[in-house]
């Protein structure tokens, strides 16, 4: 993925704003550039744009949205900033967090009202670390429907998405000014496309086993649940251009992927009263710390697996999630009328399992404190019949990446902006601090959507100003 000298290079066509990657970040950036008056082109390596966005649950956190206001939810930028900073133990860049949260509400309103992307507020439970209901998602809670909505919006806006266009090289002059890219077609043919501004929206390096081994050794060999085309190209190009990179050891893990079916089981089960057991029938952690750090905790259990335990009340909560429906359809969920039967189905000692249930009843009544620190008092204890799903820990996406400023400009190692390079979504450094424990639910799509819009606007603004057009930001 080299950056080559631009001297004397002639391009087949010239485009004002090129965007690499047609996931949420790239499509949102394209919509923003188009609204600003520039015709962007999105380059996507796959024949059908999907990205990790299509694999996700499509939950986008945002504050002060019209949808929240209609539901009477009193959220604020400050509250959302505090939630993100608390989860990252103060190690996220507070200026970027503030910019992201400030942009989040207007971005959701703009997507829903101007571009007709259908999103609803996720109600009924709070994700760990969020102090308000602020997840906005397609009604199916499926990223594939978010991609469908964004792709339709791009089509309605007459945005060109060039698929089967794998960007393999960038061309830059001595000052780091990007002049164009080389794409490779599925038949091996190559084309050269010139540009005035480039947005890197091609996510992180979760699909690159060598980079995972280098930067996240604890997840080497773990199930990667994101899009395999995310090979770290943005980071490799950025490094070649002298860009700053940060928090490459940071990632979103997940401790609840059904095994061996490979289907995400919503963490709402854990937040509302469910719990995880290892193959000895014992809890091993505070499930309310967050699902990201739970990946490693599950991987440390015997056989790299755990059991999610829940009941009818909780099953109803997730029954409308496409993922959960699939898990049941594939036989990943087992049901037992009593603890003895549950013990038999999940292969643990009946006595040990009964002890664990008894212990949790004591935590719920306030008679004893959980040694892992979880508060069980706010949810009812589980009632028969019981359900269980065997799960493993997985790597969802990387959170480290290119250092950007609040206009989504990529910065060099000294903190100065590169001339015409922008990044958003998983290509940019996220707001989760240096490791897995700093990931607050939704930090992935938050960056893709909030900063995707900022990157598209900034890239368009740069091109317009080079043409002498004055733009008004906001
Ligand atoms: C199972 C799962 C569930 C998740 N659920 C959520 C959730 O509910 N909420 C949340 O906030 N986050 C969630 N995430 C994380 C979220 O999916 C990502 O943070 C987000 O989709 C990143 O968007 P993106 O546009 O940056 O990347 P992507 O959607 O991955 O798009 C990047 C695109 O770039 C393309 N590309 C890569 N390299 C090149 C190249 N050289 N040339 C051309 N194209 C290229 C790829 O093919 C891809 O289409 C989840 C992740 C997973 C795996």
């Amino acid at each position: 993925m080299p950056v080559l000298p631009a001297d004397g290079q002639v391009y087949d066509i010239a485009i004002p704003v090129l965007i690499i990657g047609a996931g949420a970040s790239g499509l949102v950036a394209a919509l923003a550039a188009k609204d600003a008056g520039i015709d962007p082109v999105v380059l996507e390596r796959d024949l059908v744009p999907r990205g990790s966005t299509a694999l996700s649950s499509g939950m986008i956190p945002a504050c002060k949205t019209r949808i929240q206001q209609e539901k009477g939810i009193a959220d604020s930028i400050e509250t959302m900033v505090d939630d993100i900073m608390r989860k990252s133990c103060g190690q996220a860049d507070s200026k970027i967090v503030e910019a992201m949260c400030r942009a989040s509400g207007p971005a959701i309103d703009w997507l829903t009202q101007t571009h007709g992307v259908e999103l609803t507020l996720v109600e009924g439970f709070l994700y760990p670390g969020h102090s308000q209901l602020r997840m906005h998602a397609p009604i199916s809670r499926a990223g594939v429907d978010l991609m469908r909505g964004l792709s339709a919006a791009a089509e309605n806006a007459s945005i060109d998405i060039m698929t089967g266009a794998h960007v393999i090289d960038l061309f830059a002059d001595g000052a780091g000014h990007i002049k164009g890219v080389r794409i490779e077609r599925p038949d091996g043919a190559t084309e050269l496309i010139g540009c005035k501004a480039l947005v890197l929206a091609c996510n992180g390096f979760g699909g690159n086993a060598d980079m995972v081994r280098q930067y996240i050794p604890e997840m080497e060999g773990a199930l990667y649940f994101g899009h395999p085309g995310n090979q770290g190209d943005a980071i490799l190009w950025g490094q070649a251009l002298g860009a700053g990179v940060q928090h490459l050891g940071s990632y979103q893990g997940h401790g609840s992927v059904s095994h061996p079916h490979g289907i995400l089981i919503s963490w709402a089960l854990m937040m509302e009263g469910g719990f995880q057991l290892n193959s000895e029938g014992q809890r091993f952690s505070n499930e309310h710390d967050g699902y990201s750090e739970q990946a490693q905790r599950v991987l440390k259990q015997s056989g790299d697996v755990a059991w999610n335990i829940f009941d009818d009340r909780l099953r109803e909560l997730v029954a409308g999630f496409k993922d959960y429906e699939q898990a049941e359809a594939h036989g990943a969920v087992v049901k037992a009328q009593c603890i003895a039967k549950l013990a038999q189905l999940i292969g643990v000692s009946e006595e040990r399992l009964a002890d664990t249930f008894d212990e949790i009843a004591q935590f719920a009544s306030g008679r004893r404190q959980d040694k892992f620190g979880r508060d069980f008092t706010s949810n009812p204890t589980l009632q028969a019949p019981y359900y269980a799903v065997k799960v493993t820990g997985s790597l969802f996406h990387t959170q480290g990446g290119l250092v950007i400023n609040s206009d989504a400009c990529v910065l060099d190692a000294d903190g100065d902006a590169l001339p015409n390079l922008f990044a958003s979504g998983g290509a940019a450094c996220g707001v989760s601090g240096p490791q897995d424990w700093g990931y607050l639910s939704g930090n992935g799509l938050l960056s893709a959507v909030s900063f995707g819009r900022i990157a598209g606007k900034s890239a368009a603004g740069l091109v317009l100003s080079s043409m002498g057009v004055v733009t008004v930001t906001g």
Side-chain angles (χ1 to χ4, degrees):
M1 290 292 143
V3 177
L4 303 171
D7 313 347
Q9 192 63 61
V10 177
Y11 302 97
D12 300 320
I13 44 169
I15 303 292
V17 172
L18 274 182
I19 297 167
I20 305 180
S25 179
L27 294 183
V28 170
L31 287 167
K34 184 79 183 191
D35 282 5
I38 288 292
D39 279 329
V41 169
V42 186
L43 303 172
E44 168 55 50
R45 59 181 286 164
D46 290 352
L47 294 176
V48 178
R50 287 178 53 81
S52 283
T53 304
L55 302 169
S56 77
S57 308
M59 309 250 181
I60 313 165
C63 62
K64 295 184 75 177
T65 65
R66 187 185 51 83
I67 303 174
Q68 278 181 315
Q69 277 157 16
E70 281 169 5
K71 299 268 179 188
I73 290 157
D75 203 359
S76 69
I77 296 167
E78 295 71 29
T79 313
M80 187 167 170
V81 168
D82 284 351
D83 288 349
I84 293 176
M85 293 305 292
R86 193 180 325 108
K87 186 72 172 103
S88 71
C89 293
Q91 297 204 48
D93 179 336
S94 58
K95 281 203 214 78
I96 295 294
V97 176
E98 215 270 343
M100 233 179 232
C101 297
R102 185 170 295 282
S104 66
I108 294 293
D109 290 350
W110 164 76
L111 283 176
T112 51
Q113 292 173 286
T114 307
H115 290 290
V117 178
E118 283 184 24
L119 298 170
T120 58
L121 193 72
V122 179
E123 296 177 271
F125 61 93
L126 281 173
Y127 274 101
H130 283 282
S131 49
Q132 291 291 344
L133 291 175
R134 60 167 75 102
M135 291 293 187
H136 299 73
I139 193 79
S140 61
R141 303 345 182 189
V144 71
D145 290 326
L146 176 61
M147 276 305 287
R148 201 167 285 140
L150 291 172
S151 302
E155 195 177 336
N156 290 337
S158 303
I159 289 169
D160 288 324
I161 302 174
M162 204 184 275
T163 56
H166 184 193
V167 181
I168 51 172
D169 301 318
L170 303 191
F171 295 94
D173 69 13
H177 203 122
I178 308 295
K179 299 290 186 177
V181 307
R182 191 197 315 268
I183 61 168
E184 187 176 59
R185 296 305 211 157
D187 64 1
T190 58
E191 293 166 31
L192 294 165
I193 307 178
C195 66
K196 291 196 168 148
L198 182 68
V199 177
L200 298 174
C202 43
N203 209 331
F205 59 88
N208 184 327
D210 289 338
M211 288 178 81
V212 170
R213 186 177 312 115
Q214 183 179 356
Y215 297 114
I216 314 177
E218 72 269 25
M219 292 306 273
E220 181 185 355
L223 173 70
Y224 171 56
F225 214 57
H227 187 261
N230 296 326
Q231 292 286 321
D233 298 347
I235 290 165
L236 298 171
W237 286 318
Q239 285 175 323
L241 286 160
V245 290
Q246 206 181 8
H247 293 163
L248 293 186
S250 183
Y251 63 97
Q252 179 199 7
H254 208 296
S256 181
V257 174
S258 74
H259 180 78
H261 310 81
I263 300 168
L264 174 62
I265 306 294
S266 172
W267 205 244
L269 293 175
M270 298 299 122
M271 295 311 294
E272 293 301 308
F275 48 85
Q276 283 197 324
L277 301 181
N278 59 21
S279 52
E280 283 79 50
Q282 289 177 314
R283 286 181 56 248
F284 51 90
S285 60
N286 178 353
E287 298 87 341
H288 285 189
D289 285 341
Y291 53 65
S292 181
E293 53 270 60
Q294 198 71 8
Q296 269 201 75
R297 294 171 177 175
V298 169
L299 290 172
K300 283 183 183 147
Q301 305 309 305
S302 162
D304 300 344
V305 293
W307 289 93
N308 287 357
I309 309 293
F310 53 103
D311 65 0
D312 265 331
R313 175 181 64 85
L314 295 171
R315 180 177 170 271
E316 252 174 57
L317 187 69
V318 297
F321 287 27
K322 251 187 196 167
D323 286 331
Y324 183 78
E325 285 170 2
Q326 268 180 28
E328 284 205 347
H330 283 80
V333 183
V334 297
K335 179 176 179 180
Q337 294 301 335
C338 60
I339 289 175
K341 184 69 185 169
L342 182 65
Q344 192 190 337
L345 286 176
I346 69 175
V348 306
S349 132
E350 181 185 333
E351 202 183 350
R352 178 63 62 74
L353 189 61
D355 284 350
T356 300
F357 269 79
D358 183 50
E359 202 176 45
I360 290 170
Q362 294 182 47
F363 301 151
S365 69
R367 275 177 289 146
R368 274 181 61 195
Q369 297 290 314
D370 174 27
K371 69 175 176 196
F372 301 113
R374 174 168 163 184
D375 176 11
F376 278 90
T377 58
S378 46
N379 297 119
T381 50
L382 302 192
Q383 301 297 318
Y386 304 108
Y387 298 84
V389 186
K390 190 193 272 185
V391 294
T392 189
S394 160
L395 170 63
F396 272 21
H397 76 281
T398 52
Q399 274 281 295
L402 299 170
V403 178
I404 56 171
N405 65 15
S406 45
D407 291 324
C409 302
V410 175
L411 305 181
D412 67 18
D414 296 326
D416 296 321
L418 296 181
N420 63 343
L421 187 63
F422 303 87
S424 55
C429 179
V431 289
S432 305
Q435 281 175 26
D436 57 340
W437 44 257
Y439 185 84
L440 186 71
S441 317
N443 276 357
L445 283 170
L446 172 63
S447 170
V449 171
S450 293
F451 263 98
R453 188 173 186 214
I454 293 171
K457 276 190 199 178
S458 296
L462 182 75
V463 173
L464 289 167
S465 66
S466 74
M467 293 158 54
V469 180
V470 179
T471 52
V472 181
T473 53

